Amino acid sequence: VGVLGRLALKYPQSVYTGYTSCLQGEWQYLSRVTSDISYLFEPLELALRERLIPAFIGVNWTDITPEFRERMGLAVKNGGLGIRNPLATAEEFFETSLEGSTYLVETLIERSDFDVTQHAGQISKSITSARRQRSLAEADFLERAGRGKPAVKRRQKKSSYGGVGDFLTARPHYLNGTILSAEEWRDNVRLLFNLEPLDMPQKCDGCGAKFSVDHALSCKKGGLVWIRHEDVSEEWRWLNRCAFSHTRVEREPLIHSSVGRREREIAAEEGSSNTT
């Protein structure tokens, strides 16, 4: 985790994908097959809180409050990062695994016939129950965090609808165009948690007004709108080249101008008469 924390400073998207899809699953598996080991994950949670999470977001580890850490453990669809707290989830994973393997253990002890369909149904039932309980717990946390705070509730609602966190679940892939720079990925994560992007300029480069997130998204003269327009247009041209061919797709349409048409006609007539 310490090594990933150092790599996340330059490659946060790749580190996040590797952590959530691979490394986190290793100690989740350990929690499923071993009971009463939650206290052993304390050094791991300390490393996550002090090294990896600050590298992802660009904050000091002392600024990570218990409430902020709990929100980071929420599912992406609920506005979190899916970085689970191993101290809090170890017993939950073990109980789910214990419930899912009940039928298998009974057939081994009783030496009875084993039904694969019944075993699969028991596993599916335990997983569904665990997901429902986790979803209820996350909903309860969001309700407590937004109680008496209308602005917080609005942000929570926006983060849970419309695919706001889709950039987190997309695997970085060059051919799919899903690779983000460190600044792009970190800025999006900070906005997700209501934090200003790092190194923001003081004034807008287009109109000279005081720069803010709202102004950057609404200014018609600033470079942000122009850059995003160019990104979309370049992606559209690339898709059309894949469908047709490179020679049939141009950046701008070819316009036959009438400027100088009379001069060209006179030159053509003179050339024709000289030839004759």
Side-chain angles (χ1 to χ4, degrees):
V1 173
V3 172
L4 289 179
R6 293 193 296 270
L7 293 174
L9 296 174
K10 290 187 175 181
Y11 312 102
Q13 186 186 22
S14 299
V15 171
Y16 174 80
T17 302
Y19 171 80
T20 54
S21 63
C22 180
L23 185 59
Q24 184 170 236
E26 293 187 11
W27 55 72
Q28 287 181 352
Y29 172 78
L30 185 62
S31 299
R32 288 196 297 269
V33 299
T34 314
S35 63
D36 301 326
I37 62 170
S38 59
Y39 68 95
L40 296 176
F41 286 118
E42 186 174 354
L44 173 60
E45 171 60 19
L46 190 64
L48 291 173
R49 185 188 295 264
E50 295 184 357
R51 299 185 183 183
L52 189 60
I53 294 176
F56 279 148
I57 304 182
V59 298
N60 196 323
W61 69 270
T62 56
D63 298 330
I64 301 178
T65 62
E67 182 180 352
F68 188 78
R69 175 64 183 95
E70 189 173 355
R71 186 184 172 189
M72 298 202 69
L74 300 180
V76 173
K77 64 180 180 181
N78 289 329
L81 289 182
I83 302 179
R84 307 290 183 184
N85 185 339
L87 289 169
T89 58
E91 296 303 323
E92 173 191 343
F93 287 132
F94 180 76
E95 293 297 331
T96 303
S97 178
L98 190 65
E99 182 182 354
S101 59
T102 301
Y103 173 75
L104 175 64
V105 174
E106 289 178 354
T107 55
L108 290 174
I109 294 176
E110 299 174 0
R111 298 180 180 274
S112 57
D113 294 336
F114 179 73
D115 187 351
V116 177
T117 304
Q118 187 172 348
H119 176 57
Q122 179 65 27
I123 293 176
S124 177
K125 179 182 177 182
S126 62
I127 293 176
T128 302
S129 176
R131 287 177 177 173
R132 186 183 300 111
Q133 293 177 5
R134 187 182 305 125
S135 179
L136 292 175
E138 293 184 358
D140 180 66
F141 168 77
L142 293 174
E143 177 63 27
R144 287 185 285 106
R147 190 172 300 162
K149 302 175 182 178
V152 174
K153 279 194 172 183
R154 287 196 298 270
R155 287 197 300 269
Q156 291 174 356
K157 188 175 182 180
K158 288 181 179 180
S159 63
S160 59
Y161 292 101
V164 175
D166 284 352
F167 72 98
L168 293 171
T169 57
R171 298 289 180 90
H173 198 286
Y174 178 77
L175 293 180
N176 293 338
T178 54
I179 296 179
L180 299 176
S181 66
E183 291 79 10
E184 288 175 325
W185 192 89
R186 187 170 289 114
D187 287 350
N188 278 281
V189 171
R190 289 180 65 88
L191 291 174
L192 187 65
F193 288 92
N194 196 34
L195 299 173
E196 276 194 355
L198 299 174
D199 302 324
M200 286 185 63
Q202 297 295 325
K203 294 184 178 181
C204 177
D205 60 349
C207 63
K210 184 179 179 180
F211 198 76
S212 65
V213 175
D214 292 336
H215 181 81
L217 296 175
S218 59
C219 181
K220 302 301 181 182
K221 299 180 181 179
L224 182 61
V225 176
W226 178 80
I227 292 173
R228 189 59 60 193
H229 173 269
E230 289 297 310
D231 288 344
V232 174
S233 61
E234 180 60 33
E235 183 73 15
W236 179 242
R237 287 195 297 272
W238 181 79
L239 290 173
N240 279 275
R241 286 172 183 148
C242 292
F244 301 102
S245 65
H246 286 265
T247 58
R248 300 185 65 180
V249 181
E250 298 290 341
R251 178 183 175 86
E252 299 290 345
L254 182 61
I255 300 176
H256 298 279
S257 175
S258 62
V259 177
R261 183 181 61 182
R262 182 57 183 166
E263 289 77 3
R264 290 194 298 269
E265 291 176 352
I266 295 174
E269 292 174 358
E270 294 178 352
S272 177
S273 61
N274 291 336
T275 303
T276 304

